[in-house]
Amino acid sequence: MKEKIISKASELFLRLGFKSVTMDDIAGEMCISKKTIYKYFCNKEVLIEESTSMVHRQVHEIMDTIVAKNYNAIHENFEIREMFRDMFKNNIDTSPIYQLKKHYPEIYQNILSHEIDQCTQCFRDNIEKGIREGLYRSDLNVEVYVKFYYTLIFHINENTVSESEAQRIELEALEYHTRAMATPTGITELEKQLQKVKV
Protein backbone atom coordinates (compact mmCIF):
# COMPACT_ATOMS: atom_id res chain seq x y z
CA MET A 1 0.00 0.00 0.00
CA LYS A 2 2.83 2.39 0.86
CA GLU A 3 4.33 1.99 -2.64
CA LYS A 4 0.91 2.54 -4.24
CA ILE A 5 0.41 5.77 -2.28
CA ILE A 6 3.89 7.02 -3.29
CA SER A 7 3.22 6.14 -6.92
CA LYS A 8 -0.18 7.90 -7.03
CA ALA A 9 1.14 10.93 -5.10
CA SER A 10 4.10 11.26 -7.51
CA GLU A 11 1.78 11.21 -10.50
CA LEU A 12 -0.49 13.88 -8.96
CA PHE A 13 2.40 16.08 -7.78
CA LEU A 14 3.94 16.10 -11.25
CA ARG A 15 0.62 16.65 -12.99
CA LEU A 16 -1.01 19.19 -10.67
CA GLY A 17 1.84 20.63 -8.61
CA PHE A 18 3.37 19.97 -5.19
CA LYS A 19 1.60 22.89 -3.55
CA SER A 20 -1.92 22.32 -4.83
CA VAL A 21 -2.28 18.57 -4.23
CA THR A 22 -3.64 17.79 -0.75
CA MET A 23 -3.73 14.55 1.24
CA ASP A 24 -7.51 14.60 0.61
CA ASP A 25 -6.89 14.67 -3.16
CA ILE A 26 -4.59 11.65 -2.95
CA ALA A 27 -7.04 9.73 -0.73
CA GLY A 28 -9.92 10.59 -3.09
CA GLU A 29 -8.00 9.47 -6.18
CA MET A 30 -7.15 6.16 -4.53
CA CYS A 31 -10.56 5.62 -2.90
CA ILE A 32 -8.95 5.19 0.52
CA SER A 33 -9.30 7.16 3.73
CA LYS A 34 -6.90 9.94 4.65
CA LYS A 35 -6.19 7.95 7.82
CA THR A 36 -4.67 5.17 5.69
CA ILE A 37 -2.22 7.66 4.18
CA TYR A 38 -1.29 9.02 7.61
CA LYS A 39 -0.58 5.46 8.74
CA TYR A 40 2.44 5.48 6.40
CA PHE A 41 3.30 9.18 6.20
CA CYS A 42 3.11 11.52 9.19
CA ASN A 43 2.71 14.59 6.92
CA LYS A 44 2.70 15.81 3.33
CA GLU A 45 6.41 16.76 3.39
CA VAL A 46 7.44 13.17 4.12
CA LEU A 47 5.23 11.97 1.25
CA ILE A 48 6.77 14.58 -1.09
CA GLU A 49 10.25 13.44 -0.06
CA GLU A 50 9.44 9.79 -0.77
CA SER A 51 7.73 10.71 -4.06
CA THR A 52 10.60 12.84 -5.35
CA SER A 53 13.05 10.05 -4.44
CA MET A 54 10.96 7.58 -6.41
CA VAL A 55 10.76 9.87 -9.46
CA HIS A 56 14.52 10.46 -9.17
CA ARG A 57 15.15 6.67 -9.24
CA GLN A 58 12.76 6.17 -12.18
CA VAL A 59 14.43 8.95 -14.19
CA HIS A 60 17.86 7.40 -13.73
CA GLU A 61 16.60 3.91 -14.54
CA ILE A 62 15.15 5.21 -17.82
CA MET A 63 18.37 7.10 -18.55
CA ASP A 64 20.36 3.87 -17.98
CA THR A 65 18.02 2.08 -20.39
CA ILE A 66 18.61 4.76 -23.05
CA VAL A 67 22.40 4.61 -22.55
CA ALA A 68 22.28 0.80 -22.85
CA LYS A 69 20.76 1.15 -26.34
CA ASN A 70 24.16 2.41 -27.44
CA TYR A 71 23.07 5.35 -29.60
CA ASN A 72 25.84 7.74 -30.56
CA ALA A 73 26.50 10.46 -27.95
CA ILE A 74 24.46 13.20 -29.66
CA HIS A 75 21.49 10.95 -30.42
CA GLU A 76 21.62 9.73 -26.79
CA ASN A 77 21.22 13.29 -25.44
CA PHE A 78 18.21 13.90 -27.67
CA GLU A 79 16.62 10.61 -26.54
CA ILE A 80 17.09 11.62 -22.89
CA ARG A 81 15.53 15.01 -23.58
CA GLU A 82 12.57 13.26 -25.24
CA MET A 83 12.16 11.04 -22.17
CA PHE A 84 11.89 14.11 -19.92
CA ARG A 85 9.40 15.71 -22.30
CA ASP A 86 7.20 12.61 -22.22
CA MET A 87 7.45 12.37 -18.45
CA PHE A 88 6.19 15.90 -17.89
CA LYS A 89 3.81 16.28 -20.84
CA ASN A 90 0.60 15.82 -18.80
CA ASN A 91 1.45 18.21 -16.02
CA ILE A 92 0.22 21.71 -15.37
CA ASP A 93 2.39 24.32 -16.98
CA THR A 94 4.29 25.15 -13.79
CA SER A 95 7.66 23.42 -13.71
CA PRO A 96 7.74 20.79 -10.90
CA ILE A 97 11.37 21.64 -10.09
CA TYR A 98 10.57 25.35 -9.81
CA GLN A 99 7.64 24.55 -7.49
CA LEU A 100 9.68 22.23 -5.32
CA LYS A 101 12.39 24.86 -4.90
CA LYS A 102 9.86 27.57 -4.06
CA HIS A 103 7.56 25.71 -1.66
CA TYR A 104 9.76 22.92 -0.24
CA PRO A 105 13.35 24.24 -0.37
CA GLU A 106 14.78 21.66 2.05
CA ILE A 107 13.45 18.72 0.04
CA TYR A 108 14.69 20.44 -3.11
CA GLN A 109 18.23 20.84 -1.69
CA ASN A 110 18.27 17.22 -0.61
CA ILE A 111 17.25 15.97 -4.06
CA LEU A 112 19.69 18.37 -5.71
CA SER A 113 22.70 17.02 -3.82
CA HIS A 114 22.02 13.52 -5.21
CA GLU A 115 21.10 14.85 -8.64
CA ILE A 116 24.33 16.82 -9.03
CA ASP A 117 26.51 13.72 -8.63
CA GLN A 118 24.45 11.53 -10.95
CA CYS A 119 23.97 14.19 -13.62
CA THR A 120 27.62 15.23 -13.72
CA GLN A 121 28.60 11.55 -14.13
CA CYS A 122 26.04 11.18 -16.90
CA PHE A 123 27.27 14.31 -18.72
CA ARG A 124 30.92 13.20 -18.29
CA ASP A 125 30.21 9.74 -19.74
CA ASN A 126 28.38 11.29 -22.69
CA ILE A 127 31.21 13.72 -23.52
CA GLU A 128 33.87 10.99 -23.27
CA LYS A 129 31.75 8.73 -25.51
CA GLY A 130 31.32 11.54 -28.07
CA ILE A 131 35.09 12.13 -28.15
CA ARG A 132 35.71 8.40 -28.75
CA GLU A 133 33.14 8.45 -31.58
CA GLY A 134 34.74 11.48 -33.22
CA LEU A 135 31.54 13.55 -32.73
CA TYR A 136 33.09 15.85 -30.10
CA ARG A 137 36.52 17.49 -30.32
CA SER A 138 39.34 15.54 -28.69
CA ASP A 139 40.90 18.68 -27.16
CA LEU A 140 37.90 19.40 -24.89
CA ASN A 141 38.41 20.02 -21.20
CA VAL A 142 35.76 17.46 -20.18
CA GLU A 143 35.32 18.66 -16.57
CA VAL A 144 34.78 22.28 -17.66
CA TYR A 145 32.17 21.28 -20.25
CA VAL A 146 30.39 19.09 -17.70
CA LYS A 147 30.22 22.11 -15.39
CA PHE A 148 29.01 24.43 -18.19
CA TYR A 149 26.17 22.17 -19.20
CA TYR A 150 25.15 21.28 -15.71
CA THR A 151 25.06 24.98 -14.71
CA LEU A 152 22.95 25.80 -17.76
CA ILE A 153 20.40 23.00 -17.23
CA PHE A 154 19.97 23.54 -13.50
CA HIS A 155 19.68 27.30 -13.90
CA ILE A 156 16.92 26.87 -16.50
CA ASN A 157 14.94 24.46 -14.32
CA GLU A 158 15.31 26.44 -11.11
CA ASN A 159 14.31 29.77 -12.59
CA THR A 160 11.74 29.03 -15.28
CA VAL A 161 8.18 28.90 -13.97
CA SER A 162 6.60 27.45 -17.11
CA GLU A 163 7.40 23.80 -17.90
CA SER A 164 6.86 24.24 -21.67
CA GLU A 165 9.14 27.30 -21.63
CA ALA A 166 11.77 25.34 -19.65
CA GLN A 167 11.67 22.55 -22.23
CA ARG A 168 12.01 25.02 -25.11
CA ILE A 169 15.06 26.68 -23.50
CA GLU A 170 16.54 23.26 -22.64
CA LEU A 171 16.47 22.31 -26.32
CA GLU A 172 18.33 25.56 -27.14
CA ALA A 173 20.83 24.74 -24.36
CA LEU A 174 21.36 21.24 -25.75
CA GLU A 175 22.02 22.65 -29.22
CA TYR A 176 24.35 25.32 -27.78
CA HIS A 177 26.25 22.71 -25.71
CA THR A 178 26.57 20.29 -28.64
CA ARG A 179 27.70 22.93 -31.16
CA ALA A 180 30.38 24.10 -28.71
CA MET A 181 31.87 20.59 -28.58
CA ALA A 182 31.12 19.11 -32.00
CA THR A 183 33.46 18.16 -34.80
CA PRO A 184 32.15 18.63 -38.39
CA THR A 185 30.78 15.05 -38.19
CA GLY A 186 29.12 15.96 -34.90
CA ILE A 187 27.49 19.03 -36.45
CA THR A 188 26.00 16.81 -39.20
CA GLU A 189 24.55 14.47 -36.54
CA LEU A 190 23.24 17.45 -34.53
CA GLU A 191 21.43 18.84 -37.58
CA LYS A 192 19.89 15.41 -38.17
CA GLN A 193 18.59 15.26 -34.58
CA LEU A 194 17.26 18.84 -34.73
CA GLN A 195 15.33 17.98 -37.90
CA LYS A 196 13.64 15.10 -36.07
CA VAL A 197 12.63 17.40 -33.20
CA LYS A 198 11.08 19.93 -35.59
CA VAL A 199 8.96 17.29 -37.35
Side-chain angles (χ1 to χ4, degrees):
M1 180 50 88
K2 186 179 179 182
E3 289 303 311
K4 282 182 182 163
I5 295 169
I6 293 170
S7 181
K8 178 52 75 179
S10 304
E11 180 200 313
L12 291 174
F13 289 144
L14 290 181
R15 189 155 46 90
L16 305 169
F18 291 101
K19 188 77 177 144
S20 55
V21 173
T22 65
M23 295 298 233
D24 282 317
D25 295 332
I26 299 162
E29 279 276 328
M30 295 185 73
C31 301
I32 58 173
S33 73
K34 205 159 64 164
K35 210 167 92 183
T36 307
I37 298 178
Y38 282 112
K39 198 169 95 180
Y40 298 99
F41 308 97
C42 58
N43 59 37
K44 186 178 163 184
E45 277 75 11
V46 174
L47 182 51
I48 289 175
E49 247 175 280
E50 296 259 7
S51 298
T52 49
S53 293
M54 190 190 89
V55 170
H56 174 84
R57 280 195 309 276
Q58 283 175 340
V59 162
H60 287 282
E61 278 164 20
I62 300 170
M63 282 167 78
D64 290 344
T65 309
I66 292 170
V67 170
K69 288 184 176 168
N70 219 7
Y71 297 117
N72 69 56
I74 294 172
H75 186 174
E76 181 179 280
N77 276 340
F78 276 83
E79 288 292 326
I80 289 170
R81 179 194 163 269
E82 190 72 13
M83 175 265 297
F84 277 110
R85 209 195 62 181
D86 289 347
M87 233 179 148
F88 297 120
K89 70 173 178 235
N90 293 324
N91 73 336
I92 48 154
D93 199 37
T94 314
S95 161
I97 294 171
Y98 178 88
Q99 278 193 27
L100 200 58
K101 185 188 177 196
K102 186 176 177 194
H103 301 296
Y104 302 97
E106 278 181 25
I107 298 172
Y108 174 76
Q109 282 307 325
N110 190 17
I111 280 286
L112 196 63
S113 58
H114 297 299
E115 205 55 63
I116 287 168
D117 294 340
Q118 284 187 283
C119 280
T120 49
Q121 189 55 52
C122 210
F123 297 158
R124 189 180 295 117
D125 292 346
N126 180 269
I127 293 172
E128 287 167 353
K129 180 182 184 177
I131 291 170
R132 286 194 305 274
E133 293 170 336
L135 296 173
Y136 301 150
R137 300 190 326 272
S138 57
D139 61 345
L140 291 178
N141 181 332
V142 175
E143 291 311 311
V144 170
Y145 275 80
V146 166
K147 217 168 250 159
F148 282 164
Y149 192 48
Y150 148 87
T151 306
L152 260 178
I153 293 299
F154 277 88
H155 182 78
I156 292 165
N157 281 298
E158 284 183 356
N159 298 289
T160 312
V161 182
S162 156
E163 179 61 30
S164 55
E165 177 74 356
Q167 288 189 11
R168 194 183 58 72
I169 303 171
E170 269 180 23
L171 177 60
E172 298 277 347
L174 176 56
E175 182 181 350
Y176 176 81
H177 171 67
T178 309
R179 282 191 192 283
M181 300 189 296
T183 59
T185 314
I187 295 288
T188 305
E189 178 60 27
L190 171 65
E191 296 296 347
K192 191 172 106 185
Q193 294 302 325
L194 287 170
Q195 281 307 114
K196 286 200 303 199
V197 173
K198 283 165 188 157
V199 170

